Amino acid sequence: MMLIIDNLHATVADKPILKGLSLTINAGEVHAIMGPNGAGKSTLGYTLGGRPGYEVTGGTATFDGEDLFALEPHERAAAGLFLGFQYPVEIPGVSFVQFLRESLNAQRKSRGEEPLSGGEFLKLAREKAALLKLDMDMLKRPVNVGFSGGEKKRAEMVQMGILDPKLAILDETDSGLDIDALRIVGDGINAVMRRPDKAVLLITHYQRLLDYVKPDFVHVLAGGRIVRTGGAELALELEERGYEAVAA
Amino acid sequence: MPDALTLPTRRDEDYRYADLGALAAVWPLAPETIVVPAGESRRMTVVQTGDAPQVRDLAIDLGEGATFTLHVLTVGAASARIAVTVRLAATAAFHLGAAQLAGAGATAEIVTRVVHAAPNAVSRQVVRSVAAAGGTVNYLGKVLVEKGADGTDGEQSVRAMLLDRTATANARPELEIHADDVKCAHGCAVGELDAQALFYMAQRGLPPELAKRLMLQAFVAEALVGAEDEEALQDQARAALEALL
């Protein structure tokens, strides 16, 4: 089992958001979490990623046999956890190429692997950028600065491709994408993550990304807990009947 | 103003935050005069480094259409101060890019007075300061637009980063405008590194100390863009930053 979340409680600014969430994800699976605004979807991603201000007040999360909450955010990344941001952060003056090479090599170092040389890294970056149809020149620019919403989301997926995580938690990766970009991103997720040793947790409002990345399980999150679990058909039912009817 | 031979006191506005002890060691100061004739361009780089206090006082006079680009890198272990007075004739341009890094016990200070004396001159000041524990960084800058200097374009972009609770930054950007149709912008911020960016970088696997270093390098580098022999200057800035962290 890749990720086991058991009875997770978390607060943001002392306000309880997650109230007993349990979820198990096995290698090779794609899970989707859907739910209304304020249900705690993004909080789940941030809490698992270790964002400061998101406090675990109860429960456990075990990632690949390790206590996830005992690890610092960068250690979680090195352990193979990738969080795709709903709003990727701009970092003026730091190029994607520099940022990602340093990040990847920091991860490799902590795993006892040799760092990639500049040439090796560029080859890898070029390959992943091509996969997501992102111009390689964009990766020479400062991180996310001046990128459109859609470009930021594609750049997130390029980063995922380069860092090659075991588990990707993708927080509303489909928001801000037009139809073509949605397909490119969906194909990218499948190409990078659809493997027996990897898993994906998609956090989304809408069914449309799930047309491209077919989930094995769909969960409905409401009031800080998972209130219903089903197969891909549950997403269609949600789309048709709305959260209120399905979650009740 | 005190006369040139008398050491200033804290009552003198331009010396309010200065390291007067360090100034006493090098006082009195010989001001340096730079005249750029009409239509000509000059570039200058001042690096203040070393264990002894460094103090410079530049008076720059720009003729019509003249340009002057000044870069300052202050990285020494001791206190440093640079005062720059610039007078711009019509359509002259002045650019200042300054990076100052101050460690424990050091005060790094930039004092500017930019006088737009005639129409359509441009001045840009980009100052990036980093103060470590026990260090102080100051910027006191005045843009004075004289009567008749219409079409003036003056900009002050001043940011300081504090690496510790015991670090200090003083910033006093000032505008005094006596003309019409003037574009003057000033931005001033003192703060710490962006927590959101630090988490984003950590989430990609960068340990906090590495993420901070990358962000600070970029922060300082911005001030030195376009300097003569930029690469060497940037290397020197990076090395000094490394020593500060």
mmCIF file of all heavy atoms in Angstrom, chain A residues 159-182:
data_model
loop_
_atom_site.group_PDB
_atom_site.id
_atom_site.type_symbol
_atom_site.label_atom_id
_atom_site.label_comp_id
_atom_site.label_asym_id
_atom_site.label_seq_id
_atom_site.Cartn_x
_atom_site.Cartn_y
_atom_site.Cartn_z
ATOM 1 N N GLN A 159 7.253 19.584 -14.349
ATOM 2 C CA GLN A 159 8.021 19.361 -13.120
ATOM 3 C C GLN A 159 7.777 17.958 -12.583
ATOM 4 O O GLN A 159 8.699 17.282 -12.130
ATOM 5 C CB GLN A 159 7.636 20.401 -12.063
ATOM 6 C CG GLN A 159 8.008 21.815 -12.469
ATOM 7 C CD GLN A 159 7.618 22.828 -11.406
ATOM 8 O OE1 GLN A 159 8.053 22.726 -10.262
ATOM 9 N NE2 GLN A 159 6.810 23.795 -11.767
ATOM 10 N N MET A 160 6.515 17.533 -12.636
ATOM 11 C CA MET A 160 6.187 16.181 -12.172
ATOM 12 C C MET A 160 6.944 15.154 -13.005
ATOM 13 O O MET A 160 7.494 14.188 -12.467
ATOM 14 C CB MET A 160 4.673 15.960 -12.268
ATOM 15 C CG MET A 160 4.202 14.614 -11.767
ATOM 16 S SD MET A 160 2.393 14.486 -11.843
ATOM 17 C CE MET A 160 2.165 14.206 -13.603
ATOM 18 N N GLY A 161 7.003 15.388 -14.320
ATOM 19 C CA GLY A 161 7.714 14.462 -15.191
ATOM 20 C C GLY A 161 9.194 14.386 -14.851
ATOM 21 O O GLY A 161 9.790 13.317 -14.837
ATOM 22 N N ILE A 162 9.773 15.538 -14.577
ATOM 23 C CA ILE A 162 11.203 15.580 -14.276
ATOM 24 C C ILE A 162 11.502 14.939 -12.914
ATOM 25 O O ILE A 162 12.449 14.172 -12.771
ATOM 26 C CB ILE A 162 11.705 17.042 -14.308
ATOM 27 C CG1 ILE A 162 11.695 17.561 -15.760
ATOM 28 C CG2 ILE A 162 13.101 17.164 -13.697
ATOM 29 C CD1 ILE A 162 11.940 19.041 -15.888
ATOM 30 N N LEU A 163 10.676 15.238 -11.940
ATOM 31 C CA LEU A 163 10.945 14.750 -10.585
ATOM 32 C C LEU A 163 10.530 13.289 -10.399
ATOM 33 O O LEU A 163 11.004 12.626 -9.476
ATOM 34 C CB LEU A 163 10.244 15.655 -9.552
ATOM 35 C CG LEU A 163 10.736 17.115 -9.554
ATOM 36 C CD1 LEU A 163 9.863 17.984 -8.650
ATOM 37 C CD2 LEU A 163 12.198 17.205 -9.108
ATOM 38 N N ASP A 164 9.638 12.806 -11.282
ATOM 39 C CA ASP A 164 9.285 11.388 -11.322
ATOM 40 C C ASP A 164 8.869 10.822 -9.956
ATOM 41 O O ASP A 164 9.494 9.877 -9.450
ATOM 42 C CB ASP A 164 10.504 10.601 -11.873
ATOM 43 C CG ASP A 164 10.112 9.217 -12.342
ATOM 44 O OD1 ASP A 164 8.941 9.018 -12.705
ATOM 45 O OD2 ASP A 164 10.984 8.322 -12.317
ATOM 46 N N PRO A 165 7.788 11.376 -9.372
ATOM 47 C CA PRO A 165 7.392 10.941 -8.023
ATOM 48 C C PRO A 165 6.685 9.593 -8.028
ATOM 49 O O PRO A 165 6.287 9.094 -9.080
ATOM 50 C CB PRO A 165 6.405 12.038 -7.595
ATOM 51 C CG PRO A 165 5.780 12.475 -8.888
ATOM 52 C CD PRO A 165 6.878 12.392 -9.930
ATOM 53 N N LYS A 166 6.514 9.033 -6.829
ATOM 54 C CA LYS A 166 5.724 7.793 -6.701
ATOM 55 C C LYS A 166 4.250 8.134 -6.631
ATOM 56 O O LYS A 166 3.420 7.426 -7.176
ATOM 57 C CB LYS A 166 6.105 7.077 -5.390
ATOM 58 C CG LYS A 166 7.470 6.449 -5.397
ATOM 59 C CD LYS A 166 7.694 5.762 -4.048
ATOM 60 C CE LYS A 166 9.166 5.435 -3.860
ATOM 61 N NZ LYS A 166 9.517 5.345 -2.429
ATOM 62 N N LEU A 167 3.948 9.209 -5.891
ATOM 63 C CA LEU A 167 2.552 9.599 -5.716
ATOM 64 C C LEU A 167 2.398 11.075 -6.091
ATOM 65 O O LEU A 167 3.130 11.923 -5.573
ATOM 66 C CB LEU A 167 2.123 9.398 -4.253
ATOM 67 C CG LEU A 167 0.730 9.947 -3.871
ATOM 68 C CD1 LEU A 167 -0.388 9.182 -4.571
ATOM 69 C CD2 LEU A 167 0.531 9.886 -2.352
ATOM 70 N N ALA A 168 1.477 11.352 -6.981
ATOM 71 C CA ALA A 168 1.196 12.736 -7.337
ATOM 72 C C ALA A 168 -0.184 13.112 -6.817
ATOM 73 O O ALA A 168 -1.167 12.425 -7.102
ATOM 74 C CB ALA A 168 1.260 12.918 -8.848
ATOM 75 N N ILE A 169 -0.211 14.183 -6.020
ATOM 76 C CA ILE A 169 -1.490 14.733 -5.564
ATOM 77 C C ILE A 169 -1.700 16.001 -6.370
ATOM 78 O O ILE A 169 -0.922 16.952 -6.258
ATOM 79 C CB ILE A 169 -1.438 15.060 -4.060
ATOM 80 C CG1 ILE A 169 -1.113 13.801 -3.264
ATOM 81 C CG2 ILE A 169 -2.757 15.684 -3.601
ATOM 82 C CD1 ILE A 169 -0.763 14.068 -1.812
ATOM 83 N N LEU A 170 -2.698 16.006 -7.236
ATOM 84 C CA LEU A 170 -2.855 17.118 -8.173
ATOM 85 C C LEU A 170 -4.096 17.929 -7.809
ATOM 86 O O LEU A 170 -5.226 17.465 -7.949
ATOM 87 C CB LEU A 170 -2.938 16.577 -9.603
ATOM 88 C CG LEU A 170 -1.759 15.680 -9.998
ATOM 89 C CD1 LEU A 170 -1.921 15.162 -11.422
ATOM 90 C CD2 LEU A 170 -0.430 16.420 -9.843
ATOM 91 N N ASP A 171 -3.837 19.130 -7.297
ATOM 92 C CA ASP A 171 -4.904 19.977 -6.772
ATOM 93 C C ASP A 171 -5.468 20.873 -7.879
ATOM 94 O O ASP A 171 -4.834 21.838 -8.288
ATOM 95 C CB ASP A 171 -4.353 20.828 -5.614
ATOM 96 C CG ASP A 171 -5.451 21.592 -4.897
ATOM 97 O OD1 ASP A 171 -6.641 21.420 -5.245
ATOM 98 O OD2 ASP A 171 -5.115 22.375 -3.981
ATOM 99 N N GLU A 172 -6.628 20.530 -8.350
ATOM 100 C CA GLU A 172 -7.306 21.298 -9.402
ATOM 101 C C GLU A 172 -6.384 21.656 -10.565
ATOM 102 O O GLU A 172 -6.326 22.800 -11.012
ATOM 103 C CB GLU A 172 -7.945 22.552 -8.807
ATOM 104 C CG GLU A 172 -9.000 22.154 -7.785
ATOM 105 C CD GLU A 172 -10.079 23.211 -7.579
ATOM 106 O OE1 GLU A 172 -10.219 24.085 -8.433
ATOM 107 O OE2 GLU A 172 -10.779 23.105 -6.570
ATOM 108 N N THR A 173 -5.659 20.639 -10.995
ATOM 109 C CA THR A 173 -4.769 20.820 -12.134
ATOM 110 C C THR A 173 -5.549 21.179 -13.393
ATOM 111 O O THR A 173 -5.013 21.773 -14.323
ATOM 112 C CB THR A 173 -3.954 19.517 -12.330
ATOM 113 O OG1 THR A 173 -3.092 19.393 -11.208
ATOM 114 C CG2 THR A 173 -3.125 19.528 -13.593
ATOM 115 N N ASP A 174 -6.854 20.848 -13.402
ATOM 116 C CA ASP A 174 -7.660 21.116 -14.592
ATOM 117 C C ASP A 174 -8.223 22.539 -14.639
ATOM 118 O O ASP A 174 -8.691 22.979 -15.685
ATOM 119 C CB ASP A 174 -8.812 20.106 -14.689
ATOM 120 C CG ASP A 174 -9.578 19.967 -13.379
ATOM 121 O OD1 ASP A 174 -9.090 20.460 -12.350
ATOM 122 O OD2 ASP A 174 -10.658 19.356 -13.387
ATOM 123 N N SER A 175 -8.146 23.282 -13.517
ATOM 124 C CA SER A 175 -8.732 24.620 -13.560
ATOM 125 C C SER A 175 -7.840 25.545 -14.385
ATOM 126 O O SER A 175 -6.623 25.460 -14.349
ATOM 127 C CB SER A 175 -8.923 25.176 -12.146
ATOM 128 O OG SER A 175 -7.688 25.418 -11.538
ATOM 129 N N GLY A 176 -8.468 26.401 -15.159
ATOM 130 C CA GLY A 176 -7.705 27.349 -15.981
ATOM 131 C C GLY A 176 -7.207 26.761 -17.288
ATOM 132 O O GLY A 176 -6.432 27.398 -17.980
ATOM 133 N N LEU A 177 -7.634 25.548 -17.617
ATOM 134 C CA LEU A 177 -7.170 24.930 -18.863
ATOM 135 C C LEU A 177 -8.266 24.972 -19.923
ATOM 136 O O LEU A 177 -9.430 24.699 -19.627
ATOM 137 C CB LEU A 177 -6.791 23.464 -18.611
ATOM 138 C CG LEU A 177 -5.597 23.186 -17.705
ATOM 139 C CD1 LEU A 177 -5.383 21.686 -17.602
ATOM 140 C CD2 LEU A 177 -4.341 23.864 -18.223
ATOM 141 N N ASP A 178 -7.890 25.289 -21.154
ATOM 142 C CA ASP A 178 -8.865 25.161 -22.238
ATOM 143 C C ASP A 178 -8.909 23.688 -22.686
ATOM 144 O O ASP A 178 -8.157 22.855 -22.169
ATOM 145 C CB ASP A 178 -8.545 26.120 -23.393
ATOM 146 C CG ASP A 178 -7.191 25.850 -24.020
ATOM 147 O OD1 ASP A 178 -6.749 24.684 -24.012
ATOM 148 O OD2 ASP A 178 -6.557 26.799 -24.513
ATOM 149 N N ILE A 179 -9.773 23.381 -23.621
ATOM 150 C CA ILE A 179 -10.014 21.987 -24.000
ATOM 151 C C ILE A 179 -8.743 21.294 -24.487
ATOM 152 O O ILE A 179 -8.436 20.172 -24.097
ATOM 153 C CB ILE A 179 -11.099 21.919 -25.111
ATOM 154 C CG1 ILE A 179 -12.392 22.546 -24.601
ATOM 155 C CG2 ILE A 179 -11.330 20.494 -25.564
ATOM 156 C CD1 ILE A 179 -13.070 21.761 -23.507
ATOM 157 N N ASP A 180 -7.977 21.996 -25.340
ATOM 158 C CA ASP A 180 -6.750 21.392 -25.873
ATOM 159 C C ASP A 180 -5.727 21.146 -24.770
ATOM 160 O O ASP A 180 -5.107 20.088 -24.698
ATOM 161 C CB ASP A 180 -6.139 22.289 -26.956
ATOM 162 C CG ASP A 180 -7.027 22.336 -28.196
ATOM 163 O OD1 ASP A 180 -7.836 21.406 -28.377
ATOM 164 O OD2 ASP A 180 -6.908 23.307 -28.964
ATOM 165 N N ALA A 181 -5.555 22.164 -23.913
ATOM 166 C CA ALA A 181 -4.583 22.039 -22.828
ATOM 167 C C ALA A 181 -4.996 20.937 -21.864
ATOM 168 O O ALA A 181 -4.155 20.208 -21.336
ATOM 169 C CB ALA A 181 -4.442 23.369 -22.089
ATOM 170 N N LEU A 182 -6.311 20.801 -21.664
ATOM 171 C CA LEU A 182 -6.816 19.756 -20.769
ATOM 172 C C LEU A 182 -6.398 18.375 -21.282
ATOM 173 O O LEU A 182 -5.953 17.517 -20.513
ATOM 174 C CB LEU A 182 -8.341 19.851 -20.695
ATOM 175 C CG LEU A 182 -9.021 18.953 -19.675
ATOM 176 C CD1 LEU A 182 -8.655 19.360 -18.255
ATOM 177 C CD2 LEU A 182 -10.529 18.989 -19.846
#
